[in-house]
Amino acid sequence: MRSLLLTLGLLASLSLGAGAARAEGTLTIGMTQYPATLNPNIESMLAKTYVLAMTQRPLTHFDHDWQPVCMLCVELPDLEAGTAVLETTSEGKPGIAVTYALQPEATWGDGTPVTTEDVRFTYEVGRHPQSGVSNFEAYRRILSLEVHDEKRFTFHLDRVTYSYMSAADFRLLPAHIERPIFEADPAQYRFRTAFDSDPANPGLAFGPYRIVSLTPGAEILLERNPTWWGKEPFFDRILLKTIENTASLEANLLSGSIDMIAGGIGLSLDQAIAFEERHGEGFRVIYKPGLVYEHIAPNLDNPALADLRVRQALLLGADRQTIDAQLFHGKQPVADSSVSPLDWIHEESVRRYAYDPEEAARLLEEAGWTRGAGGLRRNAAGEPLRLSLMSTAGNRSRELVQQVLQAQWKALGIDIAIKNEPARVFFGQTVSQRRFPALAMFAWLSSPENVPRTTLHCDQIPSAGNSWGGQNVMGYCNPEMDRLLDAVELELDRDRRRALWAEIQQLYAETLPALPLFWRADPFVLPTWLEGVRPTGHQGTTTLWVEEWRRGDG
């Protein structure tokens, strides 16, 4: 595999100069993460989303104006057009039937048409309790699938929600390749999927590009997919290089080993600001604020963190405003809940946790953690208040934040041990299977007005029993939050829905299922000659429109 890449001349060490355009029709992108899996429906990791947006497309997504649009479908279901029809479920509850038509020319890379057979198979996998699909809730809501022909089908949904026309989480699997693997052993499917065992199989892609080779943990090479039905992409090949250390990532950009750095999985904000000051003339740096929620997830199975007073003390003892000002030049506003100020549902009146170490100390004392020898707090049994803080290794921004928090919490008598892991291990196992013993720092990406059911509902806690499905990695379970989550998505009236969103945010701030840190502004570092890269500010990566990228005159 390495020899193939060398033969193609994609790893030449000759420096082309800062921002210089390549002459081989290859765009080389640097990023700090390598996907833990390439299966579109197992685990949630930005690096995977970034890659698969070039090889596949979801049924629907949100555009740059944050409006729902078709990607694999022809038109969105609509009540007025008759492609969405209100109905009653077998249990006598309100439901809705939504009909989609697949793009007529959509074809897998091996020439097999994309059909409703793929829809049927994906539905079966998503509904199977042992498949390991991360967002199994989306499939559970589809009561039945009605296939009309090779391209048209109807989902019969168990409820009528304001987002009934969207199906961004429905990502097709190729039935002709994956079905035999799945049916052989559903419980082992997540470990045997062809997306990981045979990732260069052209039949896994129907997007503008397909994977032709990879070096696990290091590189993924994509080439134009000849069966792509849309606009022909400009670049013949795209090479994705994983460089986990952000300082090395910057060095590779300056040496010409890579052309650009992906947003969200590239340079930290402080690095990008410093980079622009030194090299701004040779590159274009875009700072895109959006729906990227940097936070610390507590494992609520940890007895210390199960106590709300301890979580409140941790947040009160973190000077997030100063961290933003000193590390991020004020570009990453402090978060108060999991809903961004950029979203119309944001609620201003939630409880805020301004830096207050005295109140933090009082809460710790009240919770039974008193200072002992050396200033370390212990409980009545003499056990120290010692917590691990984990994140992705090599991310300079997170490492700096960790070090500041470690010092601030030490002043409160809390011993913090920093332990970081490569992103594919951290997200692929530690977080998704709730193996972090105390605190995990990472970010959630969301779409506009996105109901956080998978991260907050009681039935979304990953476990061996549900094959580690769901994303409520904290283990948070609050019946009132469940009630609000269930109610808000069923409320079609905008004003009444806005009131429910206010209650959700207020309860979030009161109960702290996670410790809010910042709203990230992700930097995108691009060569001056690259055109068409438009960050969205939501979970839709720029690569969903990679066919619009081209070499300009810069």
Side-chain angles (χ1 to χ4, degrees), residues 279-341:
H279 309 289
E281 293 184 0
F283 296 88
R284 182 162 57 99
V285 182
I286 301 173
Y287 301 95
K288 183 65 177 181
L291 308 180
V292 185
Y293 172 52
E294 189 78 10
H295 66 286
I296 295 176
N299 189 326
L300 298 180
D301 291 343
N302 183 306
L305 295 171
D307 191 325
L308 174 59
R309 294 168 295 187
V310 173
R311 303 200 300 278
Q312 290 174 326
L314 287 169
L315 201 53
L316 288 165
D319 191 354
R320 296 170 294 162
Q321 198 71 50
T322 298
I323 292 174
D324 174 45
Q326 295 186 354
L327 296 185
F328 307 124
H329 296 240
K331 291 181 180 289
Q332 294 198 154
V334 170
D336 298 305
S337 76
S338 61
V339 175
S340 168

Side-chain angles (χ1 to χ4, degrees), residues 109-346:
D110 60 1
T112 304
V114 174
T115 70
T116 47
E117 183 57 30
D118 301 311
V119 176
R120 189 195 310 276
F121 171 63
T122 304
Y123 172 68
E124 292 172 1
V125 173
R127 296 275 294 184
H128 198 287
Q130 294 180 304
S131 66
V133 167
S134 56
N135 189 7
F136 60 82
E137 176 65 20
Y139 294 90
R140 187 167 64 181
R141 294 183 177 195
I142 305 173
L143 294 176
S144 64
L145 167 67
E146 181 181 358
V147 172
H148 305 293
D149 54 42
E150 286 193 347
K151 292 291 184 177
R152 289 180 65 252
F153 63 95
T154 297
F155 288 144
H156 294 273
L157 306 178
D158 68 351
R159 66 199 72 189
V160 183
T161 72
Y162 63 85
S163 58
Y164 71 86
M165 64 182 62
S166 298
D169 286 331
F170 197 88
R171 298 173 181 270
L172 286 193
L173 301 169
H176 65 294
I177 294 175
E178 293 283 89
R179 183 180 287 281
I181 302 171
F182 176 74
E183 292 182 346
D185 190 346
Q188 291 297 308
Y189 169 66
R190 64 181 297 160
F191 307 110
R192 298 174 180 174
T193 170
F195 284 94
D196 295 329
S197 64
D198 188 19
N201 188 323
L204 300 175
F206 60 79
Y209 289 91
R210 63 184 181 90
I211 295 173
V212 293
S213 67
L214 55 77
T215 302
E219 297 172 350
I220 300 176
L221 177 64
L222 303 97
E223 287 186 351
R224 285 178 181 167
N225 178 11
T227 68
W228 166 243
W229 74 86
K231 180 178 180 179
E232 184 178 9
F234 178 86
F235 296 100
D236 297 326
R237 294 172 296 275
I238 292 181
L239 177 63
L240 301 167
K241 299 183 70 171
T242 298
I243 304 167
E244 294 180 340
N245 184 279
T246 50
S248 297
L249 187 65
E250 178 180 329
N252 274 261
L253 181 65
L254 292 174
S255 71
S257 296
I258 58 177
D259 294 315
M260 61 174 278
I261 296 178
I265 44 177
L267 292 185
S268 59
L269 182 61
D270 60 309
Q271 280 182 297
I273 293 171
F275 179 88
E276 185 177 25
E277 290 175 351
R278 298 191 307 268
H279 309 289
E281 293 184 0
F283 296 88
R284 182 162 57 99
V285 182
I286 301 173
Y287 301 95
K288 183 65 177 181
L291 308 180
V292 185
Y293 172 52
E294 189 78 10
H295 66 286
I296 295 176
N299 189 326
L300 298 180
D301 291 343
N302 183 306
L305 295 171
D307 191 325
L308 174 59
R309 294 168 295 187
V310 173
R311 303 200 300 278
Q312 290 174 326
L314 287 169
L315 201 53
L316 288 165
D319 191 354
R320 296 170 294 162
Q321 198 71 50
T322 298
I323 292 174
D324 174 45
Q326 295 186 354
L327 296 185
F328 307 124
H329 296 240
K331 291 181 180 289
Q332 294 198 154
V334 170
D336 298 305
S337 76
S338 61
V339 175
S340 168
L342 298 176
D343 209 329
W344 76 272
I345 56 174
H346 179 257

Side-chain angles (χ1 to χ4, degrees), residues 446-468:
S446 67
S447 54
E449 197 181 353
N450 180 263
V451 178
R453 183 185 183 94
T454 63
T455 57
L456 294 178
H457 204 283
C458 291
D459 65 8
Q460 298 294 308
I461 300 173
S463 68
N466 63 17
S467 297
W468 306 108

